[in-house]
Amino acid sequence: MPQLSLSWLGLGPWAASPWQLLLLAGASWFLARSLTKIYTFYDNCYRLRCFPQPPRRNWFWGHLGLAKWQRLISEGSARLDMFEHISLMTLDSLQKCVFSFDSNCQEQPSEYIAAILELSALVTKRHHQIFLYWDFLYYLTPDGRRFRRACDLVHDFTDAVIQERRCTLAAQDVDDFLKAKAKSKTVDFIDLLLLSKDENGKKLSDEDIRAEADTFMFGGHDTTASGLSWALYNLARHPEYQERCRKEVQDLLSNRDPKEIEWDDLAQLPFLTMCIKESLRLHPPVTIISRCCTRDVALPDGRVIPKGNVCAISIFGIHHNPSVWPDPEVYDPSRFDPESPQKRSPLAFIPFSAGPRNCIGQTFAMSEMKVVLALTLLRFRVLPDDTEPRRKPELILRAEGGLWLRLEPLSAGAE
Ligand code: HEM
C-alpha cells in the first residue's frame, strides 16, 4: 500500500535526485549535514558576505527583481502576484549562490528555471493522485514523461557546471583556485562540494554533488518565496508595522549611498526580524512534516505512540495553538520581542522544524528574507489587494489563485 507521506517521492535512482531534499536518507543526509557545517563556515567567510554585498555593484539588486517591479509599476501594473515574482527571484538568487550562474530568469525565460517550476507543480499534482504513487504507472502517463524530461534537463545543467568546474580545478592548484575565488568573493556551493572529502578522505562523486546541489535548489526556492510573500502580505495588512520596519531600515542606512544592505546590518534589524518571525508563525511555509517513531513515545495523557508509527506533525496547528498563542489569528510581532521574552517551549515555534533533521538552509533563508524585505520596503509601499487571499496548503503554503498585493513606489524623498 503506498503511504501518504513524502516517502513516495523515492522515485528510483535516476529520477530521485531532485527530490532528495525531502528524503535525504542515511548517508546522504549525514553528508549533507557535514557539508552544511563546512558551507556555513565558508558562507560566513565568503559567499554570504558577498551575497548582499556582491563584487559587482547592484548584483543583488538585479537578483531581487525590484528593478523589474519598478518598471512594471511605471507601466501601470501595480497589482502583482507575489508568489509568481518572488519564486523567480529566489530561484535566481539560489542559482547564483549554488552555481554562480546568472540566469536572468526574472527578465527572460530560462529553460532550467522553467523545469524546476514544472517539477514542483508535477510533484504537487501527483501528491493528489494516489494511484500514481507507483512509479511504474506514473511514468506511463504524460505527466510522468514530462517529469522525466524536466529531471533530465535539471540534471544536465548541474552536470555541465560540475564538468566545467572540474576542468578549471584540474588546470589550477587547489589553493590558488580557492584564494582567487575568495578574493573575488565568488566561492559557491559547487566549489565546496568539489573540494569536500568524506571522513575517509574520499572526494564526492559527480552524482553526489549533483544530488546535493539540486536538493538546495528545490529546498530553498518555494519555501523562501512562500515566507516572503506572506510576510509582505502581513505587512500590507498592517501599515503601522510596515512603516516601523521601513523606518528601521531607513535609519540604519541613513548615511549611506548607495543604500545597500551589508552582512553586518542583518543583526541590526530587530523589528523587521520580529515581523518575519510572526509571519512564519501565522503563515508557516511548511505546514506539516512527518516523522517515524524510532521508539515508543509516551504522551502526557498516558497514551503511547508505538515504535514504527509514522506521525504527521502539524506545524500550522502548533503555531495556532490558543493555549500557547493567545488570539492565534492576530498578527502581533511583539510576541517575538527579545526584550520581553515569553515563557514558551522552544518547540512552540518551529517553522524550520526541529531536531536533527531541521532545515539546513534556515540561516540562509532568514538572511535572504531580511535583505529582500528591507530593500523592498525602502523602495515601495505594499498595500493589500481588494480580495482577501485564502490559504492553500500544498507542499508549501500558497494562496488560492496567487497572493496578490499592490505596490506603490515611495517618493525619492522617502527613500
Ligand atoms: C523560509 C524558508 C524555509 C522554510 C520555512 C524551510 C522549512 C524547512 C522544514 C520545515 C524542513 C524540515 C522538513 C522535515 O522535517 O521533514 C526543512 C528541511 C530542509 N530544508 Fe528548508 N526551509 C526554508 C528554506 C530553505 C533553504 C533556503 C534551503 C537551502 C538553501 C533549505 C534546505 C533544506 C534542506 C536541504 C532540508 C532537509 C534537511 C534534512 O532532511 O536533514 N531550506 N526546511
Side-chain angles (χ1 to χ4, degrees):
M1 180 68 192
Q3 286 181 352
L4 196 68
S5 80
L6 296 175
S7 59
W8 64 270
L9 288 167
L11 300 169
W14 66 269
S17 300
W19 305 115
Q20 286 193 352
L21 148 73
L22 301 168
L23 39 99
L24 278 176
S28 177
W29 166 75
F30 184 72
L31 183 66
R33 284 276 152 189
S34 326
L35 285 171
T36 307
K37 287 210 175 75
I38 306 168
Y39 187 46
T40 309
F41 168 73
Y42 275 99
D43 233 12
N44 289 334
C45 297
Y46 307 118
R47 169 48 94 188
L48 265 189
R49 276 197 178 269
C50 78
F51 175 60
Q53 194 192 7
R56 268 183 294 122
R57 190 164 287 295
N58 288 337
W59 172 90
F60 197 67
W61 168 256
H63 286 264
L64 266 183
L66 296 180
K68 180 181 172 191
W69 284 9
Q70 235 153 22
R71 202 191 61 236
L72 289 174
I73 288 171
S74 69
E75 288 166 5
S77 42
R79 190 175 167 264
L80 301 176
D81 174 8
M82 290 296 135
F83 269 105
E84 185 193 320
H85 289 272
I86 294 180
S87 298
L88 283 180
M89 188 273 284
T90 51
L91 278 166
D92 197 2
S93 58
L94 263 181
Q95 211 178 356
K96 180 75 176 177
C97 292
V98 175
F99 301 109
S100 294
F101 188 84
D102 292 290
S103 71
N104 199 18
C105 67
Q106 298 179 77
E107 293 291 348
Q108 64 189 34
S110 149
E111 263 196 326
Y112 173 81
I113 299 293
I116 293 199
L117 291 172
E118 179 167 39
L119 286 169
S120 303
L122 286 170
V123 167
T124 307
K125 192 169 167 197
R126 187 178 178 188
H127 203 54
H128 296 294
Q129 298 168 317
I130 196 156
F131 293 110
L132 297 182
Y133 285 16
W134 281 283
D135 292 346
F136 168 71
L137 283 182
Y138 187 59
Y139 291 128
L140 291 175
T141 65
D143 276 357
R145 289 194 289 273
R146 282 169 56 207
F147 186 89
R148 277 201 156 147
R149 269 198 304 277
C151 263
D152 283 348
L153 200 143
V154 169
H155 284 173
D156 289 349
F157 171 86
T158 313
D159 286 342
V161 178
I162 296 169
Q163 291 319 319
E164 190 208 297
R165 209 63 67 81
R166 277 209 192 281
C167 290
T168 318
L169 261 174
Q172 241 180 319
D173 176 72
V174 170
D175 280 347
D176 292 344
F177 173 83
L178 259 185
K179 269 188 209 145
K181 284 230 152 190
K183 201 168 165 209
S184 59
K185 295 182 177 174
T186 52
V187 178
D188 63 20
F189 193 47
I190 292 288
D191 291 328
L192 300 180
L193 291 166
L194 278 166
L195 297 171
S196 301
K197 292 179 183 161
D198 67 14
E199 62 273 24
N200 303 316
K202 199 167 153 254
K203 291 198 165 184
L204 301 188
S205 71
D206 285 1
E207 279 211 338
D208 290 338
I209 295 177
R210 187 176 75 185
E212 304 300 337
D214 290 348
T215 294
F216 268 56
M217 284 303 297
F218 280 97
H221 83 275
D222 253 7
T223 43
T224 316
S226 168
L228 273 167
S229 303
W230 286 109
L232 282 170
Y233 162 79
N234 283 311
L235 292 176
R237 288 280 316 277
H238 297 89
E240 68 283 16
Y241 298 140
Q242 182 180 154
E243 203 43 54
R244 202 171 144 191
C245 288
R246 181 172 297 114
K247 177 91 178 49
E248 189 175 71
V249 182
Q250 283 168 342
D251 287 351
L252 186 70
L253 305 183
S254 59
N255 299 323
R256 296 214 213 132
D257 203 25
K259 297 194 185 322
E260 284 183 12
I261 304 275
E262 297 182 13
W263 179 253
D264 296 334
D265 293 330
L266 299 182
Q268 312 296 322
L269 295 165
F271 189 69
L272 183 73
T273 308
M274 284 159 59
C275 288
I276 295 175
K277 287 187 176 170
E278 174 64 347
S279 186
L280 290 173
R281 180 196 69 80
L282 198 54
H283 295 101
V286 178
T287 54
I288 193 160
I289 53 174
S290 65
R291 289 289 182 273
C292 179
C293 300
T294 52
R295 55 183 170 77
D296 289 357
V297 178
L299 298 177
D301 66 1
R303 285 179 294 173
V304 173
I305 306 174
K307 176 181 169 177
N309 269 28
V310 174
C311 296
I313 301 162
S314 170
I315 295 180
F316 189 93
I318 290 170
H319 286 186
H320 288 76
N321 179 351
S323 61
V324 179
W325 305 100
D327 300 321
E329 285 302 329
V330 174
Y331 180 76
D332 177 6
S334 71
R335 299 181 205 262
F336 291 94
D337 188 349
E339 303 290 315
S340 52
Q342 310 290 314
K343 285 199 191 77
R344 286 190 297 258
S345 156
L347 298 179
F349 176 64
I350 50 165
F352 298 105
S353 181
R357 294 299 293 263
N358 70 357
C359 176
I360 291 178
Q362 55 188 290
T363 312
F364 183 96
M366 282 302 289
S367 308
E368 185 168 10
M369 287 192 288
K370 285 186 205 174
V371 175
V372 172
L373 290 174
L375 294 183
T376 304
L377 296 179
L378 210 53
R379 288 160 175 97
F380 302 102
R381 180 167 296 107
V382 193
L383 304 158
D385 193 36
D386 300 335
T387 46
E388 189 57 17
R390 278 173 59 90
R391 295 179 184 121
K392 186 180 176 200
E394 288 184 338
L395 280 184
I396 54 140
L397 185 65
R398 295 180 180 277
E400 267 178 30
L403 210 168
W404 293 84
L405 295 178
R406 288 183 299 124
L407 293 182
E408 267 177 21
L410 288 177
S411 66
E415 240 187 80

